[in-house]
């Protein structure tokens, strides 16, 4: 039995659409793993953090980062460094609770925003209260603060000032 010409064209068009949907569905699976959880839509600041375990005589710091002929200078907002103190728990079941208080370590830490910080060699100079320059060459790197499935952020670099205020990558 012959079908009217219009109906055959509609079936052919539907088959074509279903074929395209199948190809697109298969291609979507090639885009990489989809996280089992949503990625947080939080801000991420590009810059350099500084830890000073023994801050004798240090109350302030200014950081300068230079690359490709440009420099960015910003203050480092120094704060007391803390760590988790004694942990206490109530119960051992799945609905138990644990807690810890924060204890100051005696050190200082801070962060300087560096807009445009590249993931390439950068010369960093930190000046403390005595205004003497302490410099180091670093390679800031990208981080994955929410896991690899949520993409990269950054770049950042983590520095530590030693007893003589020498800088090293942490």
């Amino acid at each position: 039995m012959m079908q009217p010409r219009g109906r055959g064209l509609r079936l052919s068009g539907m088959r074509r659409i279903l074929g395209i949907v199948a190809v697109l569905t298969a291609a979507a699976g090639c885009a990489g793993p989809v996280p089992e959880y949503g990625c947080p839509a939080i801000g991420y600041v590009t810059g350099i953090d500084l830890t000073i375990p023994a801050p004798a005589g240090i109350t302030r710091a200014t950081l300068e980062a230079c690359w490709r002929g440009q420099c960015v200078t910003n203050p480092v907002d120094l704060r007391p460094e803390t760590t988790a103190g004694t942990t206490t728990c109530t119960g051992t079941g799945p609905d138990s609770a644990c807690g810890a208080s924060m204890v100051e370590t005696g050190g200082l830490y801070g962060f300087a925003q560096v807009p445009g910080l590249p993931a390439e060699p950068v010369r960093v100079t930190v000046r403390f209260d005595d205004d003497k320059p302490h410099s180091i060459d670093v390679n800031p790197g990208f981080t994955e603060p929410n896991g690899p499935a949520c993409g990269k952020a950054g770049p950042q670099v983590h520095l530590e000032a030693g007893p003589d205020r020498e800088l090293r990558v942490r």
Side-chain angles (χ1 to χ4, degrees), residues 20-161:
I20 291 171
V21 169
V23 169
L24 291 175
T25 303
C30 297
V34 176
E36 294 179 23
Y37 55 89
C39 294
I42 58 172
Y44 185 85
V45 182
T46 300
I48 299 172
D49 76 11
L50 176 66
T51 300
I52 310 165
I58 297 175
T59 61
R60 64 180 174 81
T62 302
L63 183 142
E64 178 185 66
C66 298
W67 66 93
R68 283 187 259 132
Q70 73 175 40
C71 295
V72 174
T73 302
N74 278 320
V76 180
D77 184 20
L78 294 176
R79 298 169 184 255
E81 185 178 40
T82 58
T83 189
T86 305
T87 303
T88 57
C89 295
T90 57
T92 58
D95 53 347
S96 299
C98 292
S101 59
M102 299 308 289
V103 178
E104 290 187 11
T105 65
L108 295 173
Y109 80 95
F111 185 83
Q113 290 187 29
V114 183
L117 183 68
E120 61 184 54
V122 173
R123 177 82 169 172
V124 176
T125 302
V126 177
R127 294 176 186 270
F128 298 104
D129 298 71
D130 62 4
D131 208 35
K132 292 181 183 173
H134 304 274
S135 299
I136 187 171
D137 293 317
V138 298
N139 287 305
F142 290 98
T143 61
E144 297 172 333
N146 300 304
C150 291
K152 293 183 179 184
Q156 287 189 348
V157 68
H158 307 282
L159 298 178
E160 183 174 285

Side-chain angles (χ1 to χ4, degrees), residues 7-21:
R7 185 170 180 205
L9 288 175
R10 277 186 280 171
L11 285 175
S12 174
M14 288 184 81
R15 285 187 190 116
R16 211 174 274 141
I17 290 173
L18 288 173
I20 291 171
V21 169

